[in-house]
Amino acid sequence: MKTILILVLILILNPAWKNSEHPAGYQVGDFVADFSLKNIDGKFVSLSDYKEAKGFIIAFTCNTCPFAILYEQRIIDLHKKYSSKGYPVIAINPNDPTIQPGDSFENMQRRAKDKNYPFPYLADVTQETTRAYGATNTPHLYILKKIDGKYKVSYIGTIDNNPKEPQGATRHYIDEAMDQILTGKEVKEPETKAVGCSIKWKPA
C-alpha cells in the first residue's frame, strides 16, 4: 500500500515524469487541425497555404538527435520523390531549445542552410502542434491525405526498418504507404513504432 502511495505522489508531483508521458494525439483515420508555425525564413506556414496539395508527409525532427541526423537525407529524398506527386514534406522541430540549445531557431536556420532543405522547417515553440499529433520521438512521421478539403491521417510511424544503414533496410514503410495511397488503396500497415530520441518538452 505504501509503495502505491509513493507512485501516486510521483505522478502528481513530478512534472518531468508527467512530461515523459505524452497525450495520445491523432490516430490513424483522424482529421487534423491546421497549424501556423514559424519557418526558418521568418514566415508562418500552414497546411492551408498549399492549395494544390493532395496531402503531406509531416516529419517531426530536429538538429541534434543522432537518429534524426541519420534519417535526414531520407527525409529530403521523400520530399524530392513525393512533392511532385502532391505530397510535400513539412518538417517540424518539436524540441524546447531551453532544454536542447542545439535546436534553437538560429541553429535550425544553420542546419537547413547547410543541408539545403527543400521543404519548410518549422519551430513548434508552444509544442501545441506536437501534442496534438501525439509525436513522441525525433523523427516521427505522419502521412496526411486530403479528403473533401480536410486532411486525414493515413500513416504514423517511422521511415524504414534500418535507422543506421538505409541500404540495409528491408522495409520502407513510408514508401509502401505512399505507393498504396497513390494507387487508391488502403494502407496495409498504417502504424509502426517511431524510432528516435524522446522529444524535449518544456518544464511544466
Side-chain angles (χ1 to χ4, degrees), residues 32-143:
V32 305
D34 204 352
F35 52 71
S36 180
L37 299 175
K38 189 177 180 180
N39 190 17
I40 49 168
D41 62 2
K43 298 177 181 178
F44 284 80
V45 172
S46 301
L47 300 179
S48 57
D49 296 333
Y50 293 76
K51 304 301 183 185
E52 304 302 319
K54 298 177 183 177
F56 296 94
I57 299 172
I58 305 293
F60 289 89
T61 188
C62 68
N63 302 337
T64 56
C65 171
F67 287 93
I69 293 167
L70 285 167
Y71 271 118
E72 185 175 41
Q73 185 58 50
R74 279 173 272 187
I75 294 172
I76 292 170
D77 291 342
L78 286 172
H79 179 80
K80 290 179 178 178
K81 184 173 182 179
Y82 294 111
S83 61
S84 62
K85 299 177 182 180
Y87 285 80
V89 165
I90 294 179
I92 300 174
N93 188 339
N95 285 343
D96 178 9
T98 65
I99 304 296
Q100 188 65 273
D103 285 318
S104 69
F105 189 73
E106 293 74 20
N107 284 322
M108 287 174 60
Q109 290 176 313
R110 292 189 192 99
R111 187 75 187 179
K113 183 178 180 181
D114 289 347
K115 294 297 181 178
N116 195 26
Y117 283 179
F119 44 71
Y121 189 25
L122 314 180
D124 186 10
V125 176
T126 66
Q127 299 183 318
E128 291 177 5
T129 297
T130 305
R131 291 185 183 280
Y133 275 75
T136 56
N137 298 74
T138 51
H140 203 156
L141 277 78
Y142 294 71
I143 298 176

Side-chain angles (χ1 to χ4, degrees), residues 145-177:
K145 180 180 179 180
K146 191 173 187 178
I147 299 176
D148 297 330
K150 298 184 293 182
Y151 291 100
K152 183 178 180 179
V153 179
S154 296
Y155 173 85
I156 302 172
T158 190
I159 293 175
D160 58 36
N161 66 350
N162 196 323
K164 294 183 179 180
E165 297 290 341
Q167 298 85 356
T170 57
R171 294 290 306 277
H172 299 86
Y173 303 113
I174 293 285
D175 285 323
E176 291 169 20

Side-chain angles (χ1 to χ4, degrees), residues 6-22:
I6 291 170
L7 288 172
V8 170
L9 285 172
I10 290 172
L11 278 169
I12 295 170
L13 299 176
N14 189 337
W17 198 98
K18 286 190 289 184
N19 275 337
S20 70
E21 287 296 311
H22 195 271

